[in-house]
Amino acid sequence: MIALSGVSKRYPGAHEALRDITLRIERGELILLTGPSGAGKSTLLKLIAAIERPTAGTVTVSGQNVARLSKRAIPYLRRNFGLVFQDHKLLYDRSVFENVVLPLRVAGFDGREAASRVRAALDKVGLLGRERSNPISLSGGEQQRVCIARAVVHRPSIVLADEPTANLDAEYAREIVALFGAFHQVGVTLMVATHDVGTFAPLTSRRIELRGGALVP
Amino acid sequence: MRSWLAQHGFAFRDALGRFARHLVPSVFNIVVIGVAVSLPLGLYVTVKNLGAVTGQLDAEPQLTLFMVPEASAEEAEAVGARLAQHPAVGKQRFVPKTEALDGLKRNAGMTEIIDNLGRNPLPDAWIVSGRGGDPATLESLRQEAVRWPKVDHAQLDTAWARKLDTAVRVGRAVTLLIAGLLAVALAAVTFNTIRLQILTRREEIEVSKLIGATDGFIRRPFLYFGLLQGIAGGLAACGLVWAALAALQAQVGPALLALAPEGGLLGLALPEAAAVLGVASALGWLGAWLSVTQHLWRIG
């Protein structure tokens, strides 16, 4: 489903963030991408989601070479992904519902169908009653769950999560981990970058470790 | 098709919502655009009225040759013969001094004055229309004829009408020029409005791009906003011009009607108003497009 071959990424005027990465991720796998901060975990996720382009090598998602995609094709590739960010990236000038419905609007779903999907997603993350709230009034854990609802509302085949539990206390983190476990069970391909392996220990997963921009064998 | 409609519906509602949320600045923007558009529009209406006045004037230019008062009938006849052979002359008519005096007497109150004069002060005259409509040939005839014997002076009747006509032409050109300049201003105002909106919605644009929004999706609400703002500004301009005409008519009243074309002052016709709205909305759209495209290009 996702394949990286000889991938390197160097930011202008900086060190090499990733060096010669080759790996394959099969459909329905749950990958834990681990390593200390600065190891290149975020960069790897960004390359897969075509947020960054590799300086060398190829990144293939569902048979498409991401690095070769035209600018116009990138939005359509992104719709295959659900992205979960460490800082949530929620919009605080609108309700929880309006935040979660955004990917559906982008994909052109209209009113009723979109609304029922948003409610299903919010139900999944346990926030069904909060759709009218402003995200700013929610706790950090709840905000992260809104972010997860937004990431899965359009039923993506791949979910990429970058440090989804980094700013949460242990109890909230356990809820998030349980959510990812549930997505994994329904066949979603998951790739979670975290420096906190312990929290994700309850999940059966394949671990990929990065250190200094290279894979640890 | 359904999703296309849904996306446009969403973008349109989004633009309307932003109008409503930022009502005061939106209204001021519309006023700025309205005033800017009303300047060339008002000028256009003025020129249109002047043009109608000149159009209603006797378009056929006429040259009147006045004989010196002591000229004899034979001398007047000689001038007539000379006119008849002149290539520039179409029709010619002799108005003897007695006929001119009778004409004058028909005006109320003049009879007494003329009777008191004791003698006829009017000269004999030839009234000449040119061959073909070109006033320039008559003008050269005028210059030639004043040098003929016993011709006192020659007057081209439509001289002032021609000057008015020229003024109308200049007026049209000036209107076009100002309209062009203010069109640029309208697009620039919209460009800036949209730029400010983009700055406040930077996060939303960034997140939308991350979750797969196309440039078109991001651009669309802004385009609708520019379009709506343009239409509203155009409407404001039409309203301003209409109000100005109404006020003018009320203030100056009947005196103005003497200057106005027959049937009263001309306002904006419906197709003209529609054209104003069309151009204003297109310029609003253009300003918005330039602004968003520039921003997307910079962040892309």
Side-chain angles (χ1 to χ4, degrees), chain A residues 51 75-76 78-79 83 85 89 91 94 102-103 105-108 110 150, chain B residues 2-3 6-7 10 203-204 206-214 217:
Chain A
I51 298 169
Y76 300 97
R78 296 239 177 100
R79 292 179 198 177
L83 300 180
F85 309 96
K89 291 201 192 300
L91 302 172
R94 62 197 70 195
L102 204 56
R105 291 259 159 82
V106 160
D110 60 358
R150 186 181 64 191
Chain B
R2 230 175 85 194
S3 84
Q7 291 211 345
F10 164 69
E203 275 200 343
E204 181 187 347
E206 194 184 310
V207 170
S208 300
K209 279 194 85 105
L210 283 176
I211 62 182
T214 56
F217 179 89

PDB file of all heavy atoms in Angstrom, chain A residues 51 75-76 78-79 83 85 89 91 94 102-103 105-108 110 150, chain B residues 2-3 6-7 10 203-204 206-214 217:
ATOM      1  N   ILE A  51       3.169  16.333   1.695  1.00  0.00           N
ATOM      2  CA  ILE A  51       3.312  17.686   2.240  1.00  0.00           C
ATOM      3  C   ILE A  51       4.736  18.175   1.947  1.00  0.00           C
ATOM      4  O   ILE A  51       4.972  19.347   1.749  1.00  0.00           O
ATOM      5  CB  ILE A  51       3.004  17.699   3.757  1.00  0.00           C
ATOM      6  CG1 ILE A  51       1.547  17.269   3.981  1.00  0.00           C
ATOM      7  CG2 ILE A  51       3.270  19.065   4.380  1.00  0.00           C
ATOM      8  CD1 ILE A  51       1.193  16.975   5.425  1.00  0.00           C
ATOM      9  N   PRO A  75      -4.137  17.264  -4.110  1.00  0.00           N
ATOM     10  CA  PRO A  75      -5.332  17.265  -3.253  1.00  0.00           C
ATOM     11  C   PRO A  75      -6.083  15.933  -3.276  1.00  0.00           C
ATOM     12  O   PRO A  75      -6.562  15.475  -2.245  1.00  0.00           O
ATOM     13  CB  PRO A  75      -6.193  18.380  -3.844  1.00  0.00           C
ATOM     14  CG  PRO A  75      -5.232  19.293  -4.498  1.00  0.00           C
ATOM     15  CD  PRO A  75      -4.112  18.427  -5.003  1.00  0.00           C
ATOM     16  N   TYR A  76      -6.154  15.325  -4.464  1.00  0.00           N
ATOM     17  CA  TYR A  76      -6.912  14.069  -4.568  1.00  0.00           C
ATOM     18  C   TYR A  76      -6.186  12.939  -3.856  1.00  0.00           C
ATOM     19  O   TYR A  76      -6.816  12.067  -3.260  1.00  0.00           O
ATOM     20  CB  TYR A  76      -7.191  13.755  -6.034  1.00  0.00           C
ATOM     21  CG  TYR A  76      -7.990  14.861  -6.679  1.00  0.00           C
ATOM     22  CD1 TYR A  76      -7.376  15.867  -7.421  1.00  0.00           C
ATOM     23  CD2 TYR A  76      -9.366  14.950  -6.470  1.00  0.00           C
ATOM     24  CE1 TYR A  76      -8.110  16.922  -7.959  1.00  0.00           C
ATOM     25  CE2 TYR A  76     -10.120  15.986  -7.004  1.00  0.00           C
ATOM     26  CZ  TYR A  76      -9.477  16.969  -7.750  1.00  0.00           C
ATOM     27  OH  TYR A  76     -10.210  18.005  -8.269  1.00  0.00           O
ATOM     28  N   ARG A  78      -4.359  13.393  -1.183  1.00  0.00           N
ATOM     29  CA  ARG A  78      -4.519  13.665   0.253  1.00  0.00           C
ATOM     30  C   ARG A  78      -5.847  13.145   0.789  1.00  0.00           C
ATOM     31  O   ARG A  78      -5.978  12.848   1.968  1.00  0.00           O
ATOM     32  CB  ARG A  78      -4.442  15.179   0.506  1.00  0.00           C
ATOM     33  CG  ARG A  78      -3.103  15.779   0.174  1.00  0.00           C
ATOM     34  CD  ARG A  78      -2.468  16.456   1.374  1.00  0.00           C
ATOM     35  NE  ARG A  78      -1.150  16.947   1.023  1.00  0.00           N
ATOM     36  CZ  ARG A  78      -0.889  18.217   0.723  1.00  0.00           C
ATOM     37  NH1 ARG A  78      -1.852  19.120   0.768  1.00  0.00           N
ATOM     38  NH2 ARG A  78       0.336  18.587   0.423  1.00  0.00           N
ATOM     39  N   ARG A  79      -6.845  13.056  -0.090  1.00  0.00           N
ATOM     40  CA  ARG A  79      -8.157  12.607   0.393  1.00  0.00           C
ATOM     41  C   ARG A  79      -8.147  11.132   0.769  1.00  0.00           C
ATOM     42  O   ARG A  79      -9.095  10.655   1.379  1.00  0.00           O
ATOM     43  CB  ARG A  79      -9.224  12.886  -0.672  1.00  0.00           C
ATOM     44  CG  ARG A  79      -9.437  14.371  -0.846  1.00  0.00           C
ATOM     45  CD  ARG A  79     -10.463  14.676  -1.889  1.00  0.00           C
ATOM     46  NE  ARG A  79     -10.320  16.078  -2.315  1.00  0.00           N
ATOM     47  CZ  ARG A  79     -11.046  16.637  -3.264  1.00  0.00           C
ATOM     48  NH1 ARG A  79     -11.954  15.931  -3.896  1.00  0.00           N
ATOM     49  NH2 ARG A  79     -10.856  17.898  -3.597  1.00  0.00           N
ATOM     50  N   LEU A  83      -5.394  12.729   8.530  1.00  0.00           N
ATOM     51  CA  LEU A  83      -4.194  13.240   9.206  1.00  0.00           C
ATOM     52  C   LEU A  83      -4.540  13.683  10.625  1.00  0.00           C
ATOM     53  O   LEU A  83      -5.490  14.434  10.841  1.00  0.00           O
ATOM     54  CB  LEU A  83      -3.608  14.428   8.436  1.00  0.00           C
ATOM     55  CG  LEU A  83      -3.179  14.167   6.989  1.00  0.00           C
ATOM     56  CD1 LEU A  83      -2.619  15.443   6.366  1.00  0.00           C
ATOM     57  CD2 LEU A  83      -2.143  13.051   6.912  1.00  0.00           C
ATOM     58  N   PHE A  85      -2.823  15.544  13.894  1.00  0.00           N
ATOM     59  CA  PHE A  85      -1.658  16.368  14.197  1.00  0.00           C
ATOM     60  C   PHE A  85      -1.463  16.488  15.697  1.00  0.00           C
ATOM     61  O   PHE A  85      -2.432  16.489  16.466  1.00  0.00           O
ATOM     62  CB  PHE A  85      -1.835  17.770  13.611  1.00  0.00           C
ATOM     63  CG  PHE A  85      -2.203  17.760  12.156  1.00  0.00           C
ATOM     64  CD1 PHE A  85      -3.527  17.859  11.747  1.00  0.00           C
ATOM     65  CD2 PHE A  85      -1.219  17.643  11.180  1.00  0.00           C
ATOM     66  CE1 PHE A  85      -3.868  17.848  10.415  1.00  0.00           C
ATOM     67  CE2 PHE A  85      -1.553  17.633   9.843  1.00  0.00           C
ATOM     68  CZ  PHE A  85      -2.886  17.729   9.456  1.00  0.00           C
ATOM     69  N   LYS A  89      -4.536  21.264  14.980  1.00  0.00           N
ATOM     70  CA  LYS A  89      -4.884  22.113  13.834  1.00  0.00           C
ATOM     71  C   LYS A  89      -6.401  22.252  13.682  1.00  0.00           C
ATOM     72  O   LYS A  89      -6.948  22.141  12.593  1.00  0.00           O
ATOM     73  CB  LYS A  89      -4.270  21.596  12.542  1.00  0.00           C
ATOM     74  CG  LYS A  89      -2.760  21.739  12.491  1.00  0.00           C
ATOM     75  CD  LYS A  89      -2.262  21.705  11.064  1.00  0.00           C
ATOM     76  CE  LYS A  89      -0.749  21.542  10.986  1.00  0.00           C
ATOM     77  NZ  LYS A  89      -0.001  22.623  11.635  1.00  0.00           N
ATOM     78  N   LEU A  91      -9.897  24.592  13.893  1.00  0.00           N
ATOM     79  CA  LEU A  91     -10.211  26.002  13.622  1.00  0.00           C
ATOM     80  C   LEU A  91     -11.117  26.493  14.738  1.00  0.00           C
ATOM     81  O   LEU A  91     -12.212  25.976  14.953  1.00  0.00           O
ATOM     82  CB  LEU A  91     -10.904  26.130  12.260  1.00  0.00           C
ATOM     83  CG  LEU A  91     -10.072  25.577  11.105  1.00  0.00           C
ATOM     84  CD1 LEU A  91     -10.880  25.545   9.820  1.00  0.00           C
ATOM     85  CD2 LEU A  91      -8.797  26.399  10.920  1.00  0.00           C
ATOM     86  N   ARG A  94     -15.032  28.281  14.685  1.00  0.00           N
ATOM     87  CA  ARG A  94     -16.257  27.569  14.302  1.00  0.00           C
ATOM     88  C   ARG A  94     -16.470  26.367  15.205  1.00  0.00           C
ATOM     89  O   ARG A  94     -15.567  25.985  15.942  1.00  0.00           O
ATOM     90  CB  ARG A  94     -16.193  27.161  12.839  1.00  0.00           C
ATOM     91  CG  ARG A  94     -15.042  26.209  12.543  1.00  0.00           C
ATOM     92  CD  ARG A  94     -14.758  26.148  11.090  1.00  0.00           C
ATOM     93  NE  ARG A  94     -14.170  27.409  10.631  1.00  0.00           N
ATOM     94  CZ  ARG A  94     -14.073  27.764   9.371  1.00  0.00           C
ATOM     95  NH1 ARG A  94     -14.516  26.979   8.446  1.00  0.00           N
ATOM     96  NH2 ARG A  94     -13.509  28.919   9.041  1.00  0.00           N
ATOM     97  N   LEU A 102     -15.349  19.511   7.492  1.00  0.00           N
ATOM     98  CA  LEU A 102     -14.493  20.115   6.474  1.00  0.00           C
ATOM     99  C   LEU A 102     -14.014  19.139   5.377  1.00  0.00           C
ATOM    100  O   LEU A 102     -14.128  19.460   4.188  1.00  0.00           O
ATOM    101  CB  LEU A 102     -13.314  20.817   7.150  1.00  0.00           C
ATOM    102  CG  LEU A 102     -12.659  21.944   6.373  1.00  0.00           C
ATOM    103  CD1 LEU A 102     -13.664  23.014   5.990  1.00  0.00           C
ATOM    104  CD2 LEU A 102     -11.532  22.572   7.190  1.00  0.00           C
ATOM    105  N   PRO A 103     -13.501  17.947   5.744  1.00  0.00           N
ATOM    106  CA  PRO A 103     -13.061  17.034   4.674  1.00  0.00           C
ATOM    107  C   PRO A 103     -14.197  16.621   3.747  1.00  0.00           C
ATOM    108  O   PRO A 103     -13.963  16.359   2.564  1.00  0.00           O
ATOM    109  CB  PRO A 103     -12.530  15.819   5.444  1.00  0.00           C
ATOM    110  CG  PRO A 103     -12.237  16.310   6.804  1.00  0.00           C
ATOM    111  CD  PRO A 103     -13.220  17.408   7.074  1.00  0.00           C
ATOM    112  N   ARG A 105     -16.831  18.554   2.981  1.00  0.00           N
ATOM    113  CA  ARG A 105     -17.079  19.715   2.126  1.00  0.00           C
ATOM    114  C   ARG A 105     -16.081  19.733   0.973  1.00  0.00           C
ATOM    115  O   ARG A 105     -16.435  19.954  -0.179  1.00  0.00           O
ATOM    116  CB  ARG A 105     -16.902  21.017   2.922  1.00  0.00           C
ATOM    117  CG  ARG A 105     -17.951  21.262   3.952  1.00  0.00           C
ATOM    118  CD  ARG A 105     -18.976  22.278   3.426  1.00  0.00           C
ATOM    119  NE  ARG A 105     -20.227  22.181   4.158  1.00  0.00           N
ATOM    120  CZ  ARG A 105     -20.444  22.758   5.328  1.00  0.00           C
ATOM    121  NH1 ARG A 105     -19.505  23.482   5.884  1.00  0.00           N
ATOM    122  NH2 ARG A 105     -21.607  22.628   5.922  1.00  0.00           N
ATOM    123  N   VAL A 106     -14.819  19.470   1.354  1.00  0.00           N
ATOM    124  CA  VAL A 106     -13.752  19.462   0.354  1.00  0.00           C
ATOM    125  C   VAL A 106     -14.040  18.416  -0.717  1.00  0.00           C
ATOM    126  O   VAL A 106     -13.793  18.630  -1.902  1.00  0.00           O
ATOM    127  CB  VAL A 106     -12.405  19.186   1.077  1.00  0.00           C
ATOM    128  CG1 VAL A 106     -11.373  18.681   0.117  1.00  0.00           C
ATOM    129  CG2 VAL A 106     -11.939  20.447   1.787  1.00  0.00           C
ATOM    130  N   ALA A 107     -14.615  17.274  -0.284  1.00  0.00           N
ATOM    131  CA  ALA A 107     -14.882  16.191  -1.238  1.00  0.00           C
ATOM    132  C   ALA A 107     -16.230  16.372  -1.920  1.00  0.00           C
ATOM    133  O   ALA A 107     -16.594  15.565  -2.777  1.00  0.00           O
ATOM    134  CB  ALA A 107     -14.828  14.847  -0.520  1.00  0.00           C
ATOM    135  N   GLY A 108     -16.992  17.409  -1.548  1.00  0.00           N
ATOM    136  CA  GLY A 108     -18.229  17.720  -2.257  1.00  0.00           C
ATOM    137  C   GLY A 108     -19.465  17.000  -1.755  1.00  0.00           C
ATOM    138  O   GLY A 108     -20.430  16.836  -2.491  1.00  0.00           O
ATOM    139  N   ASP A 110     -22.955  16.827   0.216  1.00  0.00           N
ATOM    140  CA  ASP A 110     -23.904  17.872   0.597  1.00  0.00           C
ATOM    141  C   ASP A 110     -24.533  17.565   1.952  1.00  0.00           C
ATOM    142  O   ASP A 110     -24.288  16.535   2.566  1.00  0.00           O
ATOM    143  CB  ASP A 110     -24.950  18.087  -0.500  1.00  0.00           C
ATOM    144  CG  ASP A 110     -25.727  16.825  -0.764  1.00  0.00           C
ATOM    145  OD1 ASP A 110     -25.420  15.804  -0.133  1.00  0.00           O
ATOM    146  OD2 ASP A 110     -26.650  16.859  -1.604  1.00  0.00           O
ATOM    147  N   ARG A 150     -12.213  14.315  12.627  1.00  0.00           N
ATOM    148  CA  ARG A 150     -12.030  14.979  11.329  1.00  0.00           C
ATOM    149  C   ARG A 150     -11.178  14.116  10.398  1.00  0.00           C
ATOM    150  O   ARG A 150     -11.384  14.098   9.186  1.00  0.00           O
ATOM    151  CB  ARG A 150     -11.364  16.343  11.535  1.00  0.00           C
ATOM    152  CG  ARG A 150     -11.261  17.159  10.255  1.00  0.00           C
ATOM    153  CD  ARG A 150     -10.575  18.477  10.482  1.00  0.00           C
ATOM    154  NE  ARG A 150      -9.191  18.280  10.896  1.00  0.00           N
ATOM    155  CZ  ARG A 150      -8.407  19.243  11.368  1.00  0.00           C
ATOM    156  NH1 ARG A 150      -8.875  20.467  11.492  1.00  0.00           N
ATOM    157  NH2 ARG A 150      -7.165  18.990  11.727  1.00  0.00           N
TER     158      ARG A 150
ATOM    159  N   ARG B   2     -24.138  16.881  -8.564  1.00  0.00           N
ATOM    160  CA  ARG B   2     -24.709  17.252  -7.278  1.00  0.00           C
ATOM    161  C   ARG B   2     -23.637  17.802  -6.347  1.00  0.00           C
ATOM    162  O   ARG B   2     -23.858  18.757  -5.618  1.00  0.00           O
ATOM    163  CB  ARG B   2     -25.393  16.037  -6.647  1.00  0.00           C
ATOM    164  CG  ARG B   2     -26.818  16.361  -6.192  1.00  0.00           C
ATOM    165  CD  ARG B   2     -27.500  15.136  -5.687  1.00  0.00           C
ATOM    166  NE  ARG B   2     -27.187  14.918  -4.277  1.00  0.00           N
ATOM    167  CZ  ARG B   2     -27.425  13.779  -3.643  1.00  0.00           C
ATOM    168  NH1 ARG B   2     -27.935  12.763  -4.292  1.00  0.00           N
ATOM    169  NH2 ARG B   2     -27.145  13.658  -2.374  1.00  0.00           N
ATOM    170  N   SER B   3     -22.473  17.154  -6.389  1.00  0.00           N
ATOM    171  CA  SER B   3     -21.424  17.612  -5.482  1.00  0.00           C
ATOM    172  C   SER B   3     -20.882  18.960  -5.953  1.00  0.00           C
ATOM    173  O   SER B   3     -20.505  19.810  -5.151  1.00  0.00           O
ATOM    174  CB  SER B   3     -20.317  16.574  -5.392  1.00  0.00           C
ATOM    175  OG  SER B   3     -19.411  16.731  -6.444  1.00  0.00           O
ATOM    176  N   ALA B   6     -23.302  21.368  -4.690  1.00  0.00           N
ATOM    177  CA  ALA B   6     -23.150  21.475  -3.235  1.00  0.00           C
ATOM    178  C   ALA B   6     -21.961  22.359  -2.902  1.00  0.00           C
ATOM    179  O   ALA B   6     -22.032  23.214  -2.013  1.00  0.00           O
ATOM    180  CB  ALA B   6     -22.967  20.091  -2.632  1.00  0.00           C
ATOM    181  N   GLN B   7     -20.855  22.181  -3.645  1.00  0.00           N
ATOM    182  CA  GLN B   7     -19.658  22.975  -3.365  1.00  0.00           C
ATOM    183  C   GLN B   7     -19.888  24.447  -3.653  1.00  0.00           C
ATOM    184  O   GLN B   7     -19.442  25.309  -2.899  1.00  0.00           O
ATOM    185  CB  GLN B   7     -18.489  22.459  -4.212  1.00  0.00           C
ATOM    186  CG  GLN B   7     -18.036  21.092  -3.755  1.00  0.00           C
ATOM    187  CD  GLN B   7     -16.559  20.880  -3.986  1.00  0.00           C
ATOM    188  OE1 GLN B   7     -15.938  21.623  -4.714  1.00  0.00           O
ATOM    189  NE2 GLN B   7     -16.005  19.864  -3.355  1.00  0.00           N
ATOM    190  N   PHE B  10     -22.163  25.849  -1.017  1.00  0.00           N
ATOM    191  CA  PHE B  10     -21.405  26.067   0.217  1.00  0.00           C
ATOM    192  C   PHE B  10     -20.558  27.340   0.118  1.00  0.00           C
ATOM    193  O   PHE B  10     -20.550  28.166   1.035  1.00  0.00           O
ATOM    194  CB  PHE B  10     -20.520  24.845   0.481  1.00  0.00           C
ATOM    195  CG  PHE B  10     -19.438  25.094   1.483  1.00  0.00           C
ATOM    196  CD1 PHE B  10     -19.744  25.292   2.810  1.00  0.00           C
ATOM    197  CD2 PHE B  10     -18.105  25.149   1.079  1.00  0.00           C
ATOM    198  CE1 PHE B  10     -18.750  25.544   3.733  1.00  0.00           C
ATOM    199  CE2 PHE B  10     -17.104  25.392   1.998  1.00  0.00           C
ATOM    200  CZ  PHE B  10     -17.430  25.588   3.325  1.00  0.00           C
ATOM    201  N   GLU B 203      -5.094  30.024   8.598  1.00  0.00           N
ATOM    202  CA  GLU B 203      -5.126  28.684   9.197  1.00  0.00           C
ATOM    203  C   GLU B 203      -6.104  27.778   8.472  1.00  0.00           C
ATOM    204  O   GLU B 203      -5.807  26.618   8.203  1.00  0.00           O
ATOM    205  CB  GLU B 203      -5.565  28.784  10.653  1.00  0.00           C
ATOM    206  CG  GLU B 203      -4.450  29.092  11.602  1.00  0.00           C
ATOM    207  CD  GLU B 203      -4.826  28.708  13.022  1.00  0.00           C
ATOM    208  OE1 GLU B 203      -6.020  28.527  13.293  1.00  0.00           O
ATOM    209  OE2 GLU B 203      -3.909  28.602  13.839  1.00  0.00           O
ATOM    210  N   GLU B 204      -7.262  28.341   8.175  1.00  0.00           N
ATOM    211  CA  GLU B 204      -8.289  27.546   7.511  1.00  0.00           C
ATOM    212  C   GLU B 204      -7.802  27.073   6.144  1.00  0.00           C
ATOM    213  O   GLU B 204      -8.010  25.918   5.756  1.00  0.00           O
ATOM    214  CB  GLU B 204      -9.551  28.397   7.358  1.00  0.00           C
ATOM    215  CG  GLU B 204     -10.677  27.659   6.715  1.00  0.00           C
ATOM    216  CD  GLU B 204     -11.855  28.556   6.418  1.00  0.00           C
ATOM    217  OE1 GLU B 204     -11.876  29.687   6.928  1.00  0.00           O
ATOM    218  OE2 GLU B 204     -12.735  28.115   5.662  1.00  0.00           O
ATOM    219  N   GLU B 206      -4.718  26.673   5.252  1.00  0.00           N
ATOM    220  CA  GLU B 206      -3.643  25.694   5.464  1.00  0.00           C
ATOM    221  C   GLU B 206      -4.229  24.312   5.779  1.00  0.00           C
ATOM    222  O   GLU B 206      -3.851  23.307   5.173  1.00  0.00           O
ATOM    223  CB  GLU B 206      -2.806  26.189   6.648  1.00  0.00           C
ATOM    224  CG  GLU B 206      -1.476  25.512   6.827  1.00  0.00           C
ATOM    225  CD  GLU B 206      -0.813  26.047   8.091  1.00  0.00           C
ATOM    226  OE1 GLU B 206      -0.742  27.289   8.252  1.00  0.00           O
ATOM    227  OE2 GLU B 206      -0.418  25.213   8.917  1.00  0.00           O
ATOM    228  N   VAL B 207      -5.199  24.288   6.714  1.00  0.00           N
ATOM    229  CA  VAL B 207      -5.813  23.012   7.095  1.00  0.00           C
ATOM    230  C   VAL B 207      -6.556  22.411   5.904  1.00  0.00           C
ATOM    231  O   VAL B 207      -6.453  21.217   5.626  1.00  0.00           O
ATOM    232  CB  VAL B 207      -6.770  23.216   8.297  1.00  0.00           C
ATOM    233  CG1 VAL B 207      -7.592  21.961   8.549  1.00  0.00           C
ATOM    234  CG2 VAL B 207      -5.981  23.588   9.537  1.00  0.00           C
ATOM    235  N   SER B 208      -7.290  23.264   5.167  1.00  0.00           N
ATOM    236  CA  SER B 208      -8.037  22.760   4.015  1.00  0.00           C
ATOM    237  C   SER B 208      -7.110  22.104   3.009  1.00  0.00           C
ATOM    238  O   SER B 208      -7.411  21.049   2.449  1.00  0.00           O
ATOM    239  CB  SER B 208      -8.803  23.898   3.344  1.00  0.00           C
ATOM    240  OG  SER B 208      -9.701  24.483   4.241  1.00  0.00           O
ATOM    241  N   LYS B 209      -5.963  22.727   2.796  1.00  0.00           N
ATOM    242  CA  LYS B 209      -5.007  22.158   1.836  1.00  0.00           C
ATOM    243  C   LYS B 209      -4.508  20.803   2.335  1.00  0.00           C
ATOM    244  O   LYS B 209      -4.335  19.865   1.558  1.00  0.00           O
ATOM    245  CB  LYS B 209      -3.826  23.111   1.621  1.00  0.00           C
ATOM    246  CG  LYS B 209      -4.150  24.217   0.631  1.00  0.00           C
ATOM    247  CD  LYS B 209      -2.900  24.927   0.181  1.00  0.00           C
ATOM    248  CE  LYS B 209      -2.231  24.231  -0.964  1.00  0.00           C
ATOM    249  NZ  LYS B 209      -2.413  24.874  -2.254  1.00  0.00           N
ATOM    250  N   LEU B 210      -4.270  20.711   3.646  1.00  0.00           N
ATOM    251  CA  LEU B 210      -3.762  19.457   4.210  1.00  0.00           C
ATOM    252  C   LEU B 210      -4.761  18.323   4.055  1.00  0.00           C
ATOM    253  O   LEU B 210      -4.374  17.162   3.926  1.00  0.00           O
ATOM    254  CB  LEU B 210      -3.418  19.648   5.695  1.00  0.00           C
ATOM    255  CG  LEU B 210      -2.119  20.381   5.980  1.00  0.00           C
ATOM    256  CD1 LEU B 210      -1.945  20.591   7.473  1.00  0.00           C
ATOM    257  CD2 LEU B 210      -0.925  19.609   5.420  1.00  0.00           C
ATOM    258  N   ILE B 211      -6.052  18.652   4.113  1.00  0.00           N
ATOM    259  CA  ILE B 211      -7.020  17.562   4.008  1.00  0.00           C
ATOM    260  C   ILE B 211      -7.557  17.405   2.594  1.00  0.00           C
ATOM    261  O   ILE B 211      -8.568  16.761   2.391  1.00  0.00           O
ATOM    262  CB  ILE B 211      -8.182  17.738   5.005  1.00  0.00           C
ATOM    263  CG1 ILE B 211      -8.941  19.017   4.717  1.00  0.00           C
ATOM    264  CG2 ILE B 211      -7.677  17.709   6.431  1.00  0.00           C
ATOM    265  CD1 ILE B 211     -10.046  19.248   5.709  1.00  0.00           C
ATOM    266  N   GLY B 212      -6.862  17.978   1.617  1.00  0.00           N
ATOM    267  CA  GLY B 212      -7.172  17.634   0.231  1.00  0.00           C
ATOM    268  C   GLY B 212      -8.034  18.626  -0.519  1.00  0.00           C
ATOM    269  O   GLY B 212      -8.677  18.262  -1.498  1.00  0.00           O
ATOM    270  N   ALA B 213      -8.074  19.880  -0.059  1.00  0.00           N
ATOM    271  CA  ALA B 213      -8.834  20.876  -0.805  1.00  0.00           C
ATOM    272  C   ALA B 213      -8.048  21.293  -2.050  1.00  0.00           C
ATOM    273  O   ALA B 213      -6.841  21.509  -1.975  1.00  0.00           O
ATOM    274  CB  ALA B 213      -9.104  22.099   0.065  1.00  0.00           C
ATOM    275  N   THR B 214      -8.748  21.402  -3.170  1.00  0.00           N
ATOM    276  CA  THR B 214      -8.095  21.904  -4.379  1.00  0.00           C
ATOM    277  C   THR B 214      -7.997  23.425  -4.275  1.00  0.00           C
ATOM    278  O   THR B 214      -8.688  24.041  -3.468  1.00  0.00           O
ATOM    279  CB  THR B 214      -8.928  21.553  -5.623  1.00  0.00           C
ATOM    280  OG1 THR B 214     -10.238  22.083  -5.430  1.00  0.00           O
ATOM    281  CG2 THR B 214      -9.030  20.061  -5.830  1.00  0.00           C
ATOM    282  N   PHE B 217     -11.347  24.956  -4.692  1.00  0.00           N
ATOM    283  CA  PHE B 217     -12.196  24.938  -3.501  1.00  0.00           C
ATOM    284  C   PHE B 217     -11.862  26.112  -2.586  1.00  0.00           C
ATOM    285  O   PHE B 217     -12.755  26.760  -2.037  1.00  0.00           O
ATOM    286  CB  PHE B 217     -11.986  23.620  -2.754  1.00  0.00           C
ATOM    287  CG  PHE B 217     -12.791  23.502  -1.484  1.00  0.00           C
ATOM    288  CD1 PHE B 217     -14.073  22.979  -1.507  1.00  0.00           C
ATOM    289  CD2 PHE B 217     -12.261  23.910  -0.269  1.00  0.00           C
ATOM    290  CE1 PHE B 217     -14.816  22.875  -0.343  1.00  0.00           C
ATOM    291  CE2 PHE B 217     -13.000  23.819   0.897  1.00  0.00           C
ATOM    292  CZ  PHE B 217     -14.282  23.287   0.858  1.00  0.00           C
TER     293      PHE B 217
END
